[in-house]
Amino acid sequence: MSSLGPGRYDRAVALAETFVWDEASFIRAWEAGVFGDGRYEMVQGEVIRVLIGEWHGQVTARVMRLLPEDGWRVTNATLPAAGSLSDPDAFVFRRGAEPVARLGTQRSVHRLNPGDVGLVVEVSDSSLVFDTEVKTVVYGRAGFGCYWVVHRDGVEVFTDPYEAGYRERRHVAVDSVVEVPYAPGTTIPVADLLDVDQT
């Protein structure tokens, strides 16, 4: 019989069953095949299964195709960021950038200098609140200079990173263009990202 009062026992059990992941434990589990063929990311100590719907998948493909690569590389690899192992829909890093660390026994996950990351992008359908509130903290704290959240009504552009996220947020509407932060003078019509006919 527990000495805890009513309700306190349930809370204690719930706390005891909670496991907070860190980079090393997540990578060990991933390398051991614990997650199977599923796509998972670790955000602020929680492991989250990533499900990709049709709209999300199509827009992600367009984003990756439209981002310029002159001197840069576009990828959707895992991006270590402020203790999280996030799987952004796309990020852009400088060609020739040397990782500051290689994680895991296979050393296949690379931590990059924030100055070598030109842009991080999440495509958001059902996860808009998570992407604009939780992931802003992750990417801002990591020091990534610009973060886009692409959604059905446009693009949220986050800049000026600091410990609690980003100091600046700007909405770019579907009928406007978004500036590519690592390619001065280059813009992309938001309608092209979303495959929306503006005529």
Side-chain angles (χ1 to χ4, degrees), residues 34 45 62 72 90 107 117 125 138 167 184 191:
V34 168
R62 293 186 66 79
W72 299 84
R107 301 171 64 79
V117 177
D125 195 2
V138 171
R167 292 185 180 90

Side-chain angles (χ1 to χ4, degrees), residues 95-106:
R95 285 183 184 269
E98 286 295 323
V100 296
R102 300 175 190 272
L103 309 180
T105 59
Q106 300 171 16

Side-chain angles (χ1 to χ4, degrees), residues 69-146:
E69 292 191 85
D70 186 21
W72 299 84
R73 292 188 184 277
V74 180
T75 184
N76 61 355
T78 296
L79 180 62
S84 294
L85 289 167
S86 182
D87 274 359
D89 291 303
F91 74 91
V92 183
F93 68 99
R94 196 181 312 278
R95 285 183 184 269
E98 286 295 323
V100 296
R102 300 175 190 272
L103 309 180
T105 59
Q106 300 171 16
R107 301 171 64 79
S108 58
V109 178
H110 298 171
R111 188 189 314 284
L112 295 168
N113 184 313
D116 287 325
V117 177
L119 175 65
V120 181
V121 183
E122 295 286 0
V123 175
S124 187
D125 195 2
S126 61
S127 59
L128 185 59
V129 172
F130 186 74
D131 291 336
T132 57
E133 294 184 7
V134 177
K135 287 203 169 174
T136 50
V137 175
V138 171
Y139 297 140
R141 184 173 293 161
F144 301 136
C146 187

Side-chain angles (χ1 to χ4, degrees), residues 145-157:
C146 187
Y147 168 46
W148 290 358
V149 178
V150 179
H151 57 98
R152 291 178 185 268
D153 295 323
V155 180
E156 304 305 308
V157 177

